[in-house]
Amino acid sequence: MTSRVKDLSRRDALTLLAAATAGAACSKAAPEPSGTRSESAPAIDAAIEPLRPPPWKTIDPFLFCVHHDDAYPPGNAELGPRASLLGRSLGSDFAGKDGWRMYHGRIVPGFPQHPHRGFETVTVVRRGLLDHSDSLGATARYGQGDVQWLTAGRGILHAEMFPLLKEQADNPLELFQIWLNLPATRKMVEPHFTMLWSPTVPRIEREDDQGRRTTIALHAGAFEDVRPPAPPPRSYAAMEESDLAIWTLVMQAGARLRLPAARPGTLRTLYFFRGRSLIVGGHSLASRHQITVKDGTAALELINGDSDAEILLLQGRPIGEPIVKHGPFVMNTREEIERAYADYRSTQFGGWPWDRSDPVHPRGEGRFARHADGKLEMPPV
């Protein structure tokens, strides 16, 4: 059972992607080398490094961050790809053949049932759809800008499948999945998920003096006086002292933006994943680099280069506790990890109530969430 759990670990499997995508992941370098100082402003204290193939490097309180970007073809009757699967390592397809991956799926792309304990997953689906099913009996279909925030707590099994609903057109999928740690006092809380439907996610537009626009989507954390919907009640983000933020930014060519200061002790990492060049706090970044700002108390000036840019920002105060990770479990001690595996072997975290490990919802089903208590939730119009 332990080896099977390890096979289904997104973290373990994604390491296989590094060698296969190293060339494809890097876009053309910007005119300025990364890590150099811009003369337009004094440089802040920061650490800069290349944006490696996923998973991207994270710092406490974040554990993991992956950017899935797949150009799926039209779908077939089973909601899988209407294309040959020959030449793919089905069950662990991370190579990116033809611009898309089956991941752990064999019929439908995605991640069949797998367990989690001790942390949270935040899944931001920018394009396409994701079908969720879990061991509590809950289900959902979400995407097109929606966010699911799942506090795994003491343990949950879930499946994350990518149904290809369009039969006569391509089915592009783009999402971020972020793992957020829980403090020791919350690692064994009841599992719970919250939906942040796209119409409820604030999207702020700011124009600089030249009329160049930046759009900021607030998935967590306030920007000035604008707040997104609340995270799950036992989330680390629900603790006022966390100062947690998850934002995605789209900047027009040449746009400037000043991010407000964070609190003392807060760390900010910006992942510059699309664009040519960007200045962050006086440092010039080439395309596909990340920068971690060590002093959150300073306002942060962003100056985009000569093409549109996209940035993911992760911000938070470190939890500052020991972290012991193994596969899909994140606890504070080795003994707690061993207990997590023992509990999973004996209880299956409530068991799997579905008739297949990779369930998907009917083609004609729209976006919805049915919670463990039977409550049906629909996205607002």
Side-chain angles (χ1 to χ4, degrees), residues 235 272 337:
S235 169
F272 176 36
I337 291 290

Side-chain angles (χ1 to χ4, degrees), residues 360-381:
V360 290
H361 311 314
R363 183 186 300 277
E365 191 80 67
R367 288 151 54 226
F368 74 96
R370 189 179 301 279
H371 295 264
D373 62 3
K375 176 185 175 183
L376 179 62
E377 181 182 355
M378 305 298 290
V381 178

Side-chain angles (χ1 to χ4, degrees), residues 218-238:
L218 308 184
H219 311 297
F223 184 95
E224 297 173 343
D225 59 347
V226 181
R227 288 187 171 275
R234 303 300 289 172
S235 169
Y236 178 55

Side-chain angles (χ1 to χ4, degrees), residues 176-254:
F176 294 106
Q177 185 164 100
I178 299 152
W179 290 10
L180 173 63
N181 201 10
L182 285 167
T185 56
R186 296 193 171 190
K187 282 192 175 293
M188 296 296 284
V189 299
E190 290 288 332
H192 179 85
F193 76 77
T194 294
M195 295 303 308
L196 282 60
W197 300 108
S198 181
T200 72
V201 174
R203 290 172 174 82
I204 301 170
E205 289 196 352
R206 293 288 184 267
E207 288 190 355
D208 61 20
D209 293 342
Q210 302 300 314
R212 294 163 177 158
R213 188 167 59 253
T214 298
T215 303
I216 311 153
L218 308 184
H219 311 297
F223 184 95
E224 297 173 343
D225 59 347
V226 181
R227 288 187 171 275
R234 303 300 289 172
S235 169
Y236 178 55
M239 302 173 71
E240 184 67 21
E241 62 268 27
S242 72
D243 199 21
L244 196 119
I246 300 173
W247 303 337
T248 49
L249 296 82
V250 179
M251 303 184 72
Q252 289 185 337

Side-chain angles (χ1 to χ4, degrees), residues 40-85:
S40 62
I44 59 170
D45 187 13
I48 301 169
E49 55 191 297
L51 196 60
R52 68 187 189 186
W56 295 339
K57 182 177 179 180
T58 56
I59 55 174
D60 187 4
F62 299 98
L63 300 164
F64 175 89
C65 179
V66 64
H67 182 212
H68 293 303
D69 192 2
D70 290 278
Y72 289 115
N76 59 25
E78 296 178 289
L79 306 188
R82 185 156 53 82
S84 173
L85 299 181

Side-chain angles (χ1 to χ4, degrees), residues 157-345:
L157 274 165
H158 74 156
E160 305 161 286
M161 307 308 299
F162 309 148
L164 308 184
L165 302 188
K166 297 176 185 177
E167 297 178 277
Q168 304 300 324
D170 290 341
N171 290 274
L173 175 85
E174 183 187 5
L175 66 84
F176 294 106
Q177 185 164 100
I178 299 152
W179 290 10
L180 173 63
N181 201 10
L182 285 167
T185 56
R186 296 193 171 190
K187 282 192 175 293
M188 296 296 284
V189 299
E190 290 288 332
H192 179 85
F193 76 77
T194 294
M195 295 303 308
L196 282 60
W197 300 108
S198 181
T200 72
V201 174
R203 290 172 174 82
I204 301 170
E205 289 196 352
R206 293 288 184 267
E207 288 190 355
D208 61 20
D209 293 342
Q210 302 300 314
R212 294 163 177 158
R213 188 167 59 253
T214 298
T215 303
I216 311 153
L218 308 184
H219 311 297
F223 184 95
E224 297 173 343
D225 59 347
V226 181
R227 288 187 171 275
R234 303 300 289 172
S235 169
Y236 178 55
M239 302 173 71
E240 184 67 21
E241 62 268 27
S242 72
D243 199 21
L244 196 119
I246 300 173
W247 303 337
T248 49
L249 296 82
V250 179
M251 303 184 72
Q252 289 185 337
R256 292 173 175 249
L257 176 72
R258 191 172 182 84
L259 296 179
R263 297 178 185 175
T266 296
L267 301 178
R268 284 173 160 170
T269 301
L270 284 77
Y271 301 89
F272 176 36
F273 64 95
R274 286 198 182 112
R276 282 182 51 80
S277 62
L278 180 71
I279 296 173
V280 178
H283 292 277
S284 295
L285 273 67
S287 178
R288 298 195 62 80
H289 278 71
Q290 66 182 71
I291 178 169
T292 297
V293 179
K294 300 177 181 179
D295 180 9
T297 61
L300 194 59
E301 185 179 31
L302 310 184
I303 306 173
N304 190 22
D306 60 3
S307 66
D308 290 354
E310 296 190 54
I311 304 152
L312 170 68
L313 177 144
L314 300 183
Q315 166 187 304
R317 294 187 67 188
I319 294 173
E321 296 176 352
I323 296 173
V324 180
K325 298 176 285 189
H326 195 277
F329 304 137
V330 183
M331 302 301 290
N332 296 104
T333 68
R334 173 57 56 185
E335 291 74 20
E336 290 171 340
I337 291 290
E338 292 172 356
R339 170 51 56 188
Y341 275 102
D343 289 349
Y344 175 64
R345 285 193 296 268

